[in-house]
Amino acid sequence: MPQHGTRQSARGGSAAWALVITSVAGFMAALDNLVVTTALPSIREDLGGALHDLEWTVSAYTLTFAVLLMFGAALGDRFGRRRLFVVGITVFTAASAAAAMAPGIDSLIAARAVQGVGAAIMMPLTLTLLTAAVPAERRGMAYGIWGAVNGLAVASGPLVGGSLTEHISWQWIFWLNVPLGLALLPLARLRLAESYGTGAPLDIPGTLLASGGLFGVVYGLVRGPVDGWTGSVVLTALFAGVALLVGFVLYSTRAKNPMLPMRLFRSRAFAGVNAASLLMFLGMFGSIFLLSQYMQGVLGYSPTEAGLRMLPWTGMPMLVAPIAGILSDRIGGRPVVAAGLFLQAAGLGYLASVITADASYAIQLPGLIISGVGMALYFAPASALVMSSVAAKEQGIASGANNALREVGGALGIAVMSSIFAAQGGYASAQTFVDGLRPAVAVGAAMVALGGVAALAIPARRRTGGQGTTAPKTDPASEPASEPVDEPAPELAPEPALAPTAPTPRH
């Protein structure tokens, strides 16, 4: 049996290599959340399919990704994180090639679902592998770079998808993953150290309850706008999903070795950052999904032009990341994340108020810039807050849970905001599109603002003196009841600080 906890493999691995490998893998998985959005018109022209079929090219990936994330993390903790990470990359790369060669819309949707399976295995393991490789005193910079790269991927999806679609073909949004995946496979085996979790057996009942519940809820929300919210399939999926998730919570409070210990949510840090992440992705994903179509379908921009005009939103984090790092160093991650969410909400609210059928780009620009600044302030410190809120041996499942909630938020965002859009407007004309878009984006802004409120629930940090070190305020009710394994991280690690020079921005 392997020795559980982190251990170096014979070949070992450096912190720099771990950062490069995990960041590139995370970029691939996050990019594919929204890379399809600006390619949808070209895909429809080439493969056919109704509008709800096109939604499934986005939702099929998000659905399997969200449903299996915690299971992927649990498999890695049990059988070896590096081993399962390599499996995830292999599945993701092969499915990307299958999507690129898809002869019809149904086969494309199927390939996207398998892509999500691969991403669900590799994505939560990126943070735990990175944590195992990087010394405690350098994790702040590593988390900052990892979070920024993943945020950039989510935000740049529409631009990358639009550029490849217009100048080459839509198939290249998937072919792009193949050489990256093939390059990562040998690097992961040679440069990453193997590590394990607690050694507890797999929680099969918990896995089935959580996966089934997430599938029911997300499936019902995706199908609601198409089949109608009172349809028997939609109502059955929603009620069954909620019932299974309630069962999962009740089961996990009593199980000896649950997949997701409910006591983790007694930590205000863990509960707050996860609630903030879910709401952030709900508002942001739904808004990008609709706004990218608005720029093409209403304002008449090409896919590349639409992506470029969203750069003040998606590219602004490149400039703001150093400032986010300095602020997080000095005042901690909580106020930085909260400020970012409130700015993102303000930017979306502004866009909802100025969008018209013939709105000039200049009038939209302030909202895009404000949203970009807010996105940068959120992404970089959020991962550090998640990983520092739990014991070292539970960082794998904490990462999986946070990523699952992000992806569920993204799926909910697309489903909920598409439903609002369909109820208030539609695709019949430019004006009806705007009639549906404005209330949908306004709801997205409200959701992100609620995320900012949730971030304020995270305990503040107090100075302990010496080299800017910080520690959490004492909050016995919020500390996870677990002991660390043989890793350099303490039971409740101090919140890592971001390096001021970390680069940065999508389940």
Side-chain angles (χ1 to χ4, degrees):
M1 289 295 292
Q3 178 186 355
H4 294 287
T6 301
R7 63 174 174 80
Q8 293 291 326
S9 67
R11 287 164 291 188
S14 69
W17 274 113
L19 179 58
V20 170
I21 294 167
T22 58
S23 293
V24 172
F27 184 92
M28 290 166 59
L31 182 73
D32 272 59
N33 271 306
L34 287 172
V35 74
V36 176
T37 54
T38 45
L40 292 179
S42 297
I43 292 174
R44 181 173 58 180
E45 181 179 345
D46 196 7
L47 300 183
L51 288 173
H52 67 269
D53 293 322
L54 296 178
E55 284 186 28
W56 271 108
T57 64
V58 178
S59 298
Y61 178 84
T62 305
L63 183 62
T64 54
F65 194 2
V67 166
L68 297 175
L69 269 164
M70 285 191 288
F71 185 50
L75 287 175
D77 285 350
R78 176 64 177 159
F79 297 110
R81 293 162 178 162
R82 184 186 66 187
R83 180 180 302 159
L84 266 294
F85 180 71
V86 169
V87 171
I89 294 174
T90 302
V91 172
F92 184 85
T93 304
S96 296
M101 296 184 291
I105 192 70
D106 291 336
S107 56
L108 175 60
I109 292 170
R112 289 282 287 165
V114 177
Q115 260 193 315
V117 174
I121 297 172
M122 72 176 180
M123 185 64 170
L125 300 177
T126 57
L127 266 182
T128 45
L129 288 166
L130 183 61
T131 300
V134 178
E137 66 275 8
R138 295 167 56 195
R139 287 179 188 160
M141 178 180 67
Y143 288 150
I145 294 173
W146 182 94
V149 169
N150 279 270
L152 176 62
V154 171
S156 62
L159 173 59
V160 173
S163 298
L164 291 174
T165 298
E166 183 176 355
H167 298 294
I168 308 178
S169 70
W170 65 262
Q171 285 87 350
W172 275 93
I173 64 179
F174 303 116
W175 282 126
L176 177 66
N177 295 321
V178 175
L180 291 175
L182 292 176
L184 285 180
L185 284 172
L187 288 175
R189 292 200 50 89
L190 293 172
R191 298 295 182 178
L192 291 179
E194 186 61 281
S195 65
Y196 298 84
T198 62
L202 286 176
D203 178 14
I204 301 300
T207 298
L208 294 176
L209 287 169
S211 300
L214 288 172
F215 181 86
V217 170
V218 177
Y219 181 85
L221 288 169
V222 168
R223 295 301 303 175
V226 179
D227 297 340
W229 293 104
T230 58
S232 59
V233 173
V234 171
L235 289 177
T236 300
L238 290 174
F239 282 121
V242 170
L244 288 172
L245 288 177
V246 170
F248 171 70
V249 171
L250 295 175
Y251 164 82
S252 298
T253 59
R254 296 173 173 81
K256 183 179 179 181
N257 295 300
M259 179 175 67
L260 178 60
M262 289 297 111
R263 57 181 164 72
L264 294 182
F265 289 95
R266 295 201 300 266
S267 163
R268 286 195 293 128
F270 186 78
V273 73
N274 278 289
S277 295
L278 185 147
L279 291 165
M280 162 66 175
F281 273 63
L282 194 159
M284 184 192 68
F285 264 50
S287 298
I288 290 179
F289 179 75
L290 292 174
L291 286 170
S292 63
Q293 296 183 63
Y294 164 73
M295 287 194 170
Q296 293 182 73
V298 175
L299 300 183
Y301 297 125
S302 70
T304 302
E305 289 171 340
L308 288 173
R309 280 164 175 77
M310 293 185 77
L311 269 181
W313 183 0
T314 61
M316 181 59 65
M318 298 290 288
L319 303 177
V320 177
I323 300 173
I326 293 170
L327 289 174
S328 186
D329 272 343
R330 297 193 178 192
I331 62 177
R334 181 188 79 146
V336 178
V337 167
L341 291 170
F342 286 128
L343 284 173
Q344 176 81 83
L348 290 176
Y350 174 85
L351 287 171
S353 69
V354 302
I355 286 171
T356 63
D358 58 353
S360 69
Y361 181 64
I363 195 91
Q364 301 174 57
L365 190 57
L368 297 172
I369 293 174
I370 294 170
S371 295
V373 172
M375 184 183 291
L377 293 177
Y378 161 81
F379 270 118
S383 298
L385 286 171
V386 172
M387 299 301 278
S388 64
S389 67
V390 299
K393 68 180 180 181
E394 293 175 323
Q395 286 175 337
I397 196 59
S399 172
N402 181 255
N403 279 287
L405 288 170
R406 288 184 178 192
E407 296 308 315
V408 169
L412 292 178
I414 292 174
V416 170
M417 293 172 68
S418 293
S419 177
I420 295 169
F421 168 80
Q424 300 296 319
Y427 292 91
S429 67
Q431 187 56 52
T432 57
F433 192 101
V434 170
D435 290 341
L437 177 63
R438 295 182 70 170
V441 174
V443 169
M447 293 298 102
V448 177
L450 286 177
V453 174
L456 293 177
I458 300 170
R461 303 282 165 166
R462 59 174 173 80
R463 295 280 176 179
T464 59
Q467 303 303 315
T469 302
T470 61
K473 287 183 177 178
T474 302
D475 183 7
S478 71
E479 294 189 9
S482 57
E483 297 296 327
V485 290
D486 52 328
E487 293 186 53
E491 178 172 338
L492 187 59
E495 179 186 318
L498 298 178
T501 56
T504 179
R506 135 143 212 281
H507 78 154

